[in-house]
Amino acid sequence: MFEDIFRHKKAIAAKLEAYGFRRIGGVFKYDRDILNGEFHLEIILGKHPVPETRVTENATGEEYVLYRTDAVGSYVGAVRAAVTAVLGEIADQCCETALFTARQSAELMAYVRENYGDELEFLWEKFPDCAVWRRRDSRKWYAVLLTVSRRKLGLPSDDRAEILDLRCDPELLQQRIDNRFYFPGWHMNKKHWYTIILDGSVPLERICRHIDESYLLAI
C-alpha cells in the first residue's frame, strides 16, 4: 500500500539514525505516537525495500490493521493518512533517489562503462525504471535493465526485483533457460532474449561474460 512512497528511493543509514531510527539486529527501527497520542506507530526498515509498519491503539494495546486494507471511512482514513505522512517524511529526509539499487546493477553499470564506454539510456519517460545499453555503431540494444515483480517471471512472490535482459543465440537459448537462474526474455522477443535476476543468484563474472556475448550479437 505504501510502495509508491519509497519507489526509486534508497535509505541512507546516517540519515535514518539522525531522524531517530535505532539499528537493531541488522534492521532500523523507529516508533512514535500519531493522531494526538491515540495510536502508536512502529516502523521497521531493512528487510524489505518498503518499511514494515505496525499501528497499536494506546488505550487497548491492540494492533490496528484496517489502515493496511481497502477499508474506507473517516476513522481508518485518518490513521492511514497519518502513517502515510510519517513515511513520506522519512522518504524525503532519509533517502536519496536511486532508480536501480541492487548491488549487481551498480557493478554492471561500472563494468559496461569501463569496457564499452556506454551509459544507460532512459528512453521512456513513463517508465523511468527501464533503461537500455546499446552499441554506438549499430545503435542496437545489447542489454535492458529494469524493475519488475518477481511474479511476472513466474516466481511465487510480488517483491520487485531488478532484472537484466540479454541477447542470446537462438540455438543456445533454450539450453540456457531453466526458469530458476535464467528466464524467458521479459517483454522481449523470447527467441533471442533471456532474463537474469540481479540478486546474486548468478555470479557477477558470469553475467559480465553474458553481456560480452550479447554485445557481439547486437550487430
Side-chain angles (χ1 to χ4, degrees):
M1 175 167 290
F2 304 109
E3 291 85 357
D4 288 344
I5 299 175
F6 287 87
R7 184 162 294 173
H8 308 315
K9 296 287 187 180
K10 179 181 180 181
I12 307 302
K15 291 185 177 182
L16 289 172
E17 292 174 339
Y19 187 86
F21 276 85
R22 306 179 308 281
R23 194 194 296 260
I24 302 175
V27 300
F28 289 92
K29 294 185 178 182
Y30 174 79
D31 64 278
R32 66 187 277 186
D33 285 342
I34 57 175
L35 292 179
N36 298 317
E38 189 173 350
F39 293 92
H40 190 73
L41 169 64
E42 297 175 82
I43 299 173
I44 299 176
L45 182 58
K47 293 182 179 180
H48 306 286
V50 179
E52 300 175 46
T53 61
R54 185 174 187 270
V55 173
T56 305
E57 293 186 71
N58 281 328
T60 64
E62 295 182 358
E63 184 176 3
Y64 184 82
V65 299
L66 289 180
Y67 75 100
R68 294 199 300 262
T69 72
D70 294 328
V72 296
S74 59
Y75 192 75
V76 65
V79 176
R80 189 180 296 125
V83 174
T84 300
V86 175
L87 293 178
E89 187 176 86
I90 291 170
D92 290 340
Q93 296 187 22
C94 306
C95 300
E96 64 181 18
T97 299
L99 294 175
F100 300 108
T101 59
R103 178 177 179 178
Q104 283 194 329
S105 295
E107 292 170 333
L108 292 175
M109 289 180 209
Y111 176 80
V112 170
R113 184 180 300 116
E114 179 178 349
N115 288 271
Y116 299 109
D118 295 331
E119 299 290 344
L120 284 170
E121 297 182 44
F122 295 84
L123 305 179
W124 303 279
E125 184 176 348
K126 292 183 178 180
F127 303 100
D129 54 356
C130 180
V132 306
W133 279 300
R134 54 180 168 181
R135 292 182 59 131
R136 299 182 185 185
D137 49 6
S138 67
R139 304 304 294 164
K140 287 189 176 182
W141 305 352
Y142 57 91
V144 183
L145 182 62
L146 63 159
T147 305
V148 300
S149 164
R150 289 175 179 267
R151 196 171 299 278
K152 291 184 177 180
L153 298 178
L155 299 174
S157 171
D158 290 317
D159 289 346
R160 296 182 69 79
E162 291 169 29
I163 64 172
L164 186 70
D165 286 342
L166 294 170
R167 293 177 180 269
C168 185
D169 187 315
E171 295 184 2
L172 299 176
L173 189 61
Q174 294 308 313
Q175 300 175 29
R176 182 164 294 174
I177 291 175
D178 57 12
N179 291 302
R180 183 182 176 190
F181 301 109
Y182 300 95
F183 301 83
W186 168 248
H187 244 284
M188 303 296 285
N189 185 323
K190 292 177 174 51
K191 293 182 179 180
H192 298 276
W193 292 79
Y194 64 99
T195 294
I196 300 172
I197 301 178
L198 301 180
D199 60 358
S201 55
V202 179
L204 178 67
E205 290 185 3
R206 190 180 304 169
I207 298 176
C208 291
R209 301 291 77 79
H210 291 328
I211 289 178
D212 296 339
E213 175 187 80
S214 184
Y215 183 87
L216 294 175
L217 290 172
I219 55 176

